[in-house]
Amino acid sequence: MIVVMQTAAEKEQVEGVEQKLVEMGFAPHRIQGTGRVVIGAVGERKVVFPTGLEVLPGVERVVPIGAPYKLVSREVKERGSVVEVGDLKVGGSEIVVMAGPCAVESEEQLLTIARLVKAAGAQVLRGGAFKPRSSPYSFQGLELEGLKMLNRAREETGLKIVTEVLNPQEVELVADYTDIIQIGARNMQNFSLLREVGRLKKPVLLKRGLAATLEEWLMAAEYILAEGNFQVILCERGIRTFETSTRSTLDISAIPQAKSMTHLPVVADPCHASGTWKLASPLSRAAIAAGADGLLIEVHHKPSEALCDGPQSLTPEKFSRLLFSLQPVAEAVERTVCVGEDLSMTGGL
Ligand code: PEP
Ligand code: MN
């Protein structure tokens, strides 16, 4: 349920309601709405109306939440959340672009790509140090050495970092090196991992599982919020369908649909969705047109030599052209996108 406080409610009245909720066996989560405080109350106990909270001083009304997910739902928070990554805002008017290689392969590789994606206009550098590979014989990532390389790239370029964590034991380590911690599609329902990142005070990028419904995806996000971390960014990265000509199918409708169900920002990953760099530009434009708050794009300076996901990686030149092509679409939906140098004109490398 949600307890909506009056606009003029005093701090002590809000605290009084929170205390009462704890006594009733609920966990209260204070949410600053537009001009008033809303308290999301979650717990295993069934809510019976009237709850008794209605008569407490400062309370305007008590509303049941219809959806099985509670804290992530739009019912709790009408306005879209903005996740702050330092000075960067995900969910604001500017489209946030995260770009970089699938995997960190070497310092030279990472720095080369980092400099180029930065010049092209990206704000966040992506790159996996721990890789969730379908085959145990594929490159598994440089692990700690990779995290250190990401740190160096951040120091040199000022780009924020997003990188994946694979298991609960490594959350603390990865969190020390990254600005946004990524939960991959294969781990979307790894509940102990979700709880662990929920205890962080750091933004989490939660990818949609390969066969997850929107409700399952939002329930996964709920695990993170329920632990107290409200800084969650959802990422639509394509789902399994009967279509085999693309790696997965980018579920464009999931973008506006998820945004109608939750206040959390939603970004799109056209590279993992399609499996080919050729579709990255049209799918990015479609995602922005559908309301995505950002993009996650794989870029490699030598895609044919990439240790992971080369066929779906754009060269820096193609990536910079992609950003230019987003501008009119962003404008049409009243958003902005940061576009830097045209690397295809300067030769890029
Ligand atoms: C990735 O972003 O490198 C990745 C492995 O993505 P996904 O979890 O969406 O497959
Ligand atoms: Mn990849």
Side-chain angles (χ1 to χ4, degrees):
M1 72 185 136
I2 326 166
V3 183
V4 182
M5 299 301 292
Q6 293 163 356
T7 34
E10 310 269 321
K11 190 167 156 272
E12 291 71 29
Q13 295 176 330
V14 175
E15 286 166 359
V17 173
E18 288 171 336
Q19 198 186 325
K20 180 76 183 150
L21 284 166
V22 172
E23 284 164 19
M24 291 166 70
F26 293 100
H29 293 267
R30 196 184 298 189
I31 297 153
Q32 186 62 54
T34 38
R36 70 174 80 224
V37 168
V38 166
I39 306 169
V42 290
E44 286 171 24
R45 292 232 358 236
K46 201 172 158 19
V47 185
V48 182
F49 282 87
T51 60
L53 296 158
E54 294 83 350
V55 295
L56 291 183
V59 172
E60 185 170 296
R61 58 183 192 278
V62 182
V63 191
I65 306 176
Y69 43 86
K70 310 290 177 191
L71 299 173
V72 305
S73 89
R74 274 269 176 197
E75 292 172 71
V76 159
K77 194 159 175 274
E78 242 181 326
R79 266 186 51 187
S81 287
V82 175
V83 172
E84 293 188 4
V85 189
D87 54 356
L88 195 64
K89 291 181 169 52
V90 185
S93 59
E94 190 179 354
I95 303 296
V96 171
V97 178
M98 313 182 196
C102 180
V104 179
E105 298 169 11
S106 69
E107 185 158 317
E108 193 227 327
Q109 172 248 19
L110 187 68
L111 285 175
T112 304
I113 298 169
R115 289 177 195 130
L116 290 164
V117 297
K118 160 100 180 178
Q123 294 109 327
V124 181
L125 176 66
R126 62 146 290 142
F130 293 89
K131 292 303 302 173
R133 304 305 302 276
S134 299
S135 162
Y137 309 117
S138 301
F139 175 59
Q140 304 287 312
L142 296 181
E143 304 184 342
L144 179 59
E145 280 314 303
L147 293 176
K148 289 182 181 165
M149 289 170 194
L150 286 164
N151 227 356
R152 262 168 253 148
R154 181 211 280 111
E155 275 165 23
E156 195 198 295
T157 60
L159 288 166
K160 305 277 189 279
I161 304 294
V162 58
T163 196
E164 181 165 354
V165 65
L166 293 185
N167 62 62
Q169 297 84 341
E170 278 152 3
V171 165
E172 228 175 284
L173 172 75
V174 178
D176 275 349
Y177 286 89
T178 193
D179 301 290
I180 307 173
I181 199 154
Q182 177 173 325
I183 304 283
R186 289 155 194 82
N187 260 326
M188 189 205 82
Q189 283 186 319
N190 182 337
F191 300 116
S192 47
L193 182 58
L194 297 172
R195 281 198 195 281
E196 202 58 42
V197 298
R199 293 184 196 117
L200 292 175
K201 297 205 173 352
K202 188 152 268 197
V204 178
L205 181 98
L206 177 64
K207 289 200 158 192
R208 180 177 178 189
L210 278 72
T213 63
L214 293 192
E215 189 174 292
E216 286 163 341
W217 189 19
L218 297 186
M219 292 300 271
E222 184 79 16
Y223 268 86
I224 304 172
L225 273 73
E227 290 296 327
N229 187 355
F230 276 57
Q231 296 174 277
V232 176
I233 304 160
L234 298 169
C235 178
E236 160 58 40
R237 49 79 71 212
I239 48 169
R240 284 265 165 90
T241 66
F242 51 79
E243 182 52 62
T244 53
S245 71
T246 49
R247 184 175 174 182
S248 290
T249 298
L250 183 68
D251 184 0
I252 282 290
S253 61
I255 298 166
Q257 184 69 345
K259 286 180 73 94
S260 74
M261 296 158 83
T262 176
H263 54 86
L264 298 174
V266 180
V267 303
D269 172 349
C271 296
H272 288 92
S274 64
T276 167
W277 65 268
K278 290 183 183 155
L279 294 188
S281 282
L283 293 183
S284 296
R285 292 193 292 271
I288 299 305
D293 297 295
L295 296 166
L296 184 73
I297 297 183
E298 287 190 329
V299 176
H300 200 290
H301 62 313
K302 291 178 185 160
S304 61
E305 293 173 24
L307 296 181
C308 183
D309 287 349
Q312 66 192 38
S313 300
L314 286 108
T315 59
E317 294 85 349
K318 290 192 176 88
F319 171 65
S320 94
R321 294 305 306 158
L322 180 155
L323 291 189
F324 273 92
S325 82
L326 293 180
Q327 259 178 333
V329 184
E331 213 172 290
V333 291
E334 292 169 7
R335 307 291 289 264
T336 57
V337 60
C338 169
V339 179
E341 281 172 51
D342 182 351
L343 298 178
S344 65
M345 300 300 285
T346 59
L349 293 166

